Amino acid sequence: MPTARIADVSFTAPPAVKLDEFTALFATDPGGDEVARVIKSSAIDAKGMAVNPLVEDPRRWSVRERMDRGLRDARALGAEAISLSLGRAGLRPDEVGLLATATTTTHSAPGLDGLLHELGMPRDTESLSLGPMGCYAALPALAACRNWVEVHRRPAVLLCVDLFSPHLQAPPYDKERAIVLTLFGDGAAAVVLRPGEPGLPGLDVVDGAMLTAPEFADDLQVHVGDDGMRIRLAPTMPDVVASAVREPVDALLTRNGLRDEDMTWWALHPGGRRIIDRVEEELGLPEASVEESRAAMREYGNTAAPAVLGVLERLQRTRPLASGEHAMALAFGPGATLWATLLRGA
């Protein structure tokens, strides 16, 4: 049976801003004390910010300024991630048959797909622009790339980029807005997929499952408003995710004849301290897996679509799957939507 194999995953982020320095930016703003409290309890030490608000404060920018700057910086960061991933996979840009991009924060046509020509991919390279899907975007995008590779038997590249720093909102800040301000960081991740062949190392993308809980759709939403990207993040989300996550996980395990204990590791989306804790508790996840999610969040915050790929890269680097071993990636986002992807060592 033809397979699509992940040959490389590369995560990158802009220069980091330490959150204790970030706190000082809001000290005199209405609700600045709320921001300080949220940052203190966030378990995030720093996050990448393409727009460093300590140098240039975007909170009064127009929507156009935010979107133009976001596209420029997203392309630059995306090009870095793709070049790194192709190099590590031993491929040239002219060997790529598909470039798929997923983003919630960068809206333009052409947008990230403009990297096709900037990076030297052929004129007939296919492009697929996906979004906005929020934090779960990487996994359905990965499924689309898997399907393309299995049909066309050519390499594909997936790029996920989300930049929140151009969309920092102006005061006043209540607790929910303080959480959004604190939680989301900038990042990019590239995945190179190739047709599975004997002797080619990597991870086979075996199967995927999605679940939506529409009764909680209002709890997490992302929209473009008069002041840029506006995010609704209700405090109920960790419990919503925890109560629903078992269903797509069990669906994947059952139809592939596997059990929880057959998973060597779990790449869990670092969506926030409470989400990590609640999903760990619900699924009984091994500490070694969960610590990588906590470390990614501590160093970068929640980078939305790239985040779960960053965790996957960490786990595959520290504990590469041997041939026949299995792992699972989990991501959650607006909808409320949950995605699970089953992986197997080649």
Side-chain angles (χ1 to χ4, degrees), residues 26-37 171-175 178:
F26 311 97
T28 60
D29 291 329
D33 55 342
E34 190 67 64
V35 176
R37 281 193 293 271
Y173 305 111
D174 58 14
K175 185 175 182 179

Side-chain angles (χ1 to χ4, degrees), residues 6-96:
I6 296 174
D8 186 75
V9 182
S10 299
F11 175 89
T12 188
V17 174
K18 295 181 179 179
L19 285 209
D20 55 357
E21 298 175 1
F22 189 58
T23 304
L25 181 68
F26 311 97
T28 60
D29 291 329
D33 55 342
E34 190 67 64
V35 176
R37 281 193 293 271
V38 169
I39 286 176
K40 188 175 181 180
S41 63
S42 67
I44 301 172
D45 292 342
K47 58 184 183 177
M49 303 190 78
V51 178
N52 184 339
L54 306 178
V55 177
E56 49 179 335
D57 191 342
R59 290 181 293 169
R60 304 293 181 183
W61 286 1
S62 68
V63 175
R64 178 166 183 173
E65 288 176 301
R66 296 173 187 272
M67 300 308 261
D68 286 352
R69 178 62 177 275
L71 176 61
R72 190 191 81 185
D73 290 350
R75 277 185 170 177
L77 195 65
E80 179 184 340
I82 291 173
S83 297
L84 177 61
S85 209
L86 283 175
R88 296 199 312 202
L91 286 173
R92 303 185 311 272
D94 62 8
E95 296 178 277
V96 176

Side-chain angles (χ1 to χ4, degrees), residues 4 22 32 34 36 74 80 113 121 135 140 155 167 176 178-179 188 230 254 257 264 278 306 311 339:
F22 189 58
E34 190 67 64
E80 179 184 340
D113 52 332
M121 295 179 186
C135 295
H167 297 282
E176 183 174 307
I179 291 172
R230 301 297 297 268
T254 298
T264 300
R278 290 289 288 113
V311 175
W339 257 89

Side-chain angles (χ1 to χ4, degrees), residues 242 244-267 278-287 289-290 319 321 324-330 340-343:
V245 69
R246 173 53 69 181
E247 188 171 339
V249 167
D250 282 350
L252 279 186
L253 294 176
T254 298
R255 67 177 176 241
N256 288 279
L258 297 166
R259 302 167 298 170
D260 283 10
E261 49 266 39
D262 294 319
M263 298 301 104
T264 300
W265 44 254
W266 303 71
R278 290 289 288 113
V279 174
E280 176 191 23
E281 176 185 287
E282 182 66 27
L283 296 179
L285 299 183
E287 179 57 31
S289 293
V290 178
R319 175 55 172 91
L321 291 189
E325 289 185 329
H326 289 87
M328 194 173 295
L330 301 170
T341 297
L342 182 64
L343 305 166

Side-chain angles (χ1 to χ4, degrees), residues 18-219:
K18 295 181 179 179
L19 285 209
D20 55 357
E21 298 175 1
F22 189 58
T23 304
L25 181 68
F26 311 97
T28 60
D29 291 329
D33 55 342
E34 190 67 64
V35 176
R37 281 193 293 271
V38 169
I39 286 176
K40 188 175 181 180
S41 63
S42 67
I44 301 172
D45 292 342
K47 58 184 183 177
M49 303 190 78
V51 178
N52 184 339
L54 306 178
V55 177
E56 49 179 335
D57 191 342
R59 290 181 293 169
R60 304 293 181 183
W61 286 1
S62 68
V63 175
R64 178 166 183 173
E65 288 176 301
R66 296 173 187 272
M67 300 308 261
D68 286 352
R69 178 62 177 275
L71 176 61
R72 190 191 81 185
D73 290 350
R75 277 185 170 177
L77 195 65
E80 179 184 340
I82 291 173
S83 297
L84 177 61
S85 209
L86 283 175
R88 296 199 312 202
L91 286 173
R92 303 185 311 272
D94 62 8
E95 296 178 277
V96 176
L98 169 73
L99 173 63
T101 61
T103 180
T104 297
T105 57
T106 302
H107 301 266
S108 187
L112 295 176
D113 52 332
L115 289 171
L116 277 171
H117 310 300
E118 291 180 24
L119 294 173
M121 295 179 186
R123 290 165 61 93
D124 62 349
T125 302
E126 294 184 29
S127 64
L128 180 63
S129 299
L130 300 168
M133 291 181 279
C135 295
Y136 69 86
L139 299 188
L142 186 64
C145 290
R146 173 202 64 193
N147 294 342
W148 191 93
V149 171
E150 289 181 353
V151 169
H152 295 274
R153 309 302 295 161
R154 295 184 62 195
V157 172
L158 168 63
L159 173 66
C160 296
V161 184
D162 277 311
L163 302 184
F164 294 91
S165 62
H167 297 282
L168 288 182
Q169 297 294 296
Y173 305 111
D174 58 14
K175 185 175 182 179
E176 183 174 307
R177 296 189 75 190
I179 291 172
V180 169
L181 198 71
T182 300
L183 180 61
F184 292 99
D186 298 352
V191 182
V192 174
L193 296 100
R194 304 179 68 171
E197 299 172 356
L200 178 69
L203 299 173
D204 288 340
V205 184
V206 178
D207 201 355
M210 182 185 111
L211 173 73
T212 57
E215 64 272 28
F216 298 106
D218 290 342
D219 289 11

Side-chain angles (χ1 to χ4, degrees), residues 294-311:
R294 292 195 177 103
M297 192 182 73
R298 185 167 58 248
E299 296 170 23
Y300 300 107
N302 176 358
T303 57
V308 70
L309 298 177
V311 175

